[in-house]
Amino acid sequence: MPLPLLTLHEQMIACRACARLVEWRETVARDRRAAYRNEEYWGKPIVGFGDPLARILVLGLAPGAHGGNRTGRVFTGDRSGDWLYGSLHRAGLANQPHATGRDDGLQLTDVYVSVCVRCVPPGNQPTPQERQTCLPFLEQELALLPNIRVIVCLGSFAWDSAIRLLKSRYPVAKKPTFAHLAEAIVGPFRLVGSYHPSQQNTFTGKLTEAMQDAVWDRVKLLSSASFA
């Protein structure tokens, strides 16, 4: 990992800017879920993970209470992560289909995964102020990923956050509408929408494996194309 990115990650991990989120992430880490009662939770902000030379940025909402907030790595240790990395593995973008912890050997190729809000929020609902406070971290992270061409937004929250982040530098005449496999060009980036791999979406069939795999088929084509 390049030194500037590591330095930024250290700043993220040390952040205590949002009192409500700090209290909640530490409460979850202290009380723990029964299944993980013998584990030491991470209980701190989550940083991005993946290939620093990636052309594809995958953007989620926030770490899961007993996923990333437990393991210390984004989309790791819960069923959403298994779904995401399983799909990336089928697409040839990950070396294995499961993500259980920071030392599990998972490696991503041409993909970097991050989140809009670094701390787990109560009810998975950050406030507008918390979202705005955290956005500069994503801006700095993106600036240190020089090859990103496509941003895959997992859910409407990530879609809205990506547009909010980019529009001050690359104005858009009309806000693009989120949908699964929706596309929008904002400056030098192509945004692609995907339903979030939450259990609510995967258990109900709103998001199927075929639908998720179609995202990476499209994204791999876009990341190699010239559209700016």
Side-chain angles (χ1 to χ4, degrees):
M1 189 72 68
L3 184 59
L5 205 50
L6 287 174
T7 300
L8 175 62
H9 287 177
E10 291 173 356
Q11 294 171 2
M12 291 178 182
I13 292 170
C15 182
R16 299 182 66 85
C18 301
R20 187 182 80 112
L21 297 187
V22 171
E23 180 181 7
W24 180 247
R25 80 193 189 202
E26 294 179 354
T27 295
V28 172
R30 182 186 65 246
D31 295 347
R32 307 175 189 179
R33 177 175 283 176
Y36 308 121
R37 62 182 176 274
N38 295 322
E39 294 189 23
E40 182 177 351
Y41 274 53
W42 173 255
K44 296 186 284 289
I46 292 294
V47 303
F49 164 74
D51 183 351
L53 298 179
R55 292 175 293 177
I56 302 164
L57 173 64
V58 179
L59 188 59
L61 192 165
H66 305 283
N69 190 59
R70 173 174 62 89
T71 64
R73 194 176 68 195
V74 61
F75 280 104
T76 298
D78 58 21
R79 291 186 177 180
S80 292
D82 286 344
W83 185 279
L84 173 63
Y85 292 123
S87 185
L88 287 172
H89 180 255
R90 292 192 296 273
L93 300 171
N95 69 327
Q96 62 190 41
H98 300 295
T100 57
R102 297 193 303 279
D103 300 320
D104 61 8
L106 178 64
Q107 297 178 11
L108 304 182
T109 300
D110 211 17
V111 172
Y112 189 91
V113 183
S114 194
V115 285
C116 303
V117 176
R118 304 290 161 167
C119 299
V120 55
N124 213 32
Q125 292 290 331
T127 67
Q129 182 59 50
E130 289 164 349
R131 180 162 81 171
Q132 191 61 35
T133 298
C134 218
L135 201 59
F137 278 141
L138 180 60
E139 182 177 22
Q140 294 173 67
E141 200 169 36
L142 182 58
L144 294 174
L145 298 169
N147 297 334
I148 297 296
R149 297 176 59 78
V150 180
I151 302 176
V152 181
C153 302
L154 302 179
S156 60
F157 186 104
W159 179 269
D160 292 344
S161 293
I163 293 172
R164 181 179 292 106
L165 173 64
L166 297 173
K167 71 178 183 180
S168 60
R169 187 173 179 184
Y170 309 107
V172 291
K174 182 180 179 181
K175 179 184 173 182
T177 300
F178 171 79
H180 190 74
L181 284 175
E183 295 182 23
I185 296 176
V186 183
F189 303 104
R190 175 82 64 138
L191 272 59
V192 177
S194 171
Y195 291 141
H196 191 283
S198 65
Q199 292 186 55
Q200 180 179 358
N201 287 339
T202 58
F203 281 9
T204 61
K206 182 176 182 179
L207 179 65
T208 66
E209 286 190 353
M211 291 170 64
Q212 185 73 88
D213 292 351
V215 171
W216 310 124
D217 290 342
R218 178 59 177 160
V219 164
K220 286 194 292 184
L221 289 174
L222 290 174
S223 66
S224 300
S226 176
F227 53 81

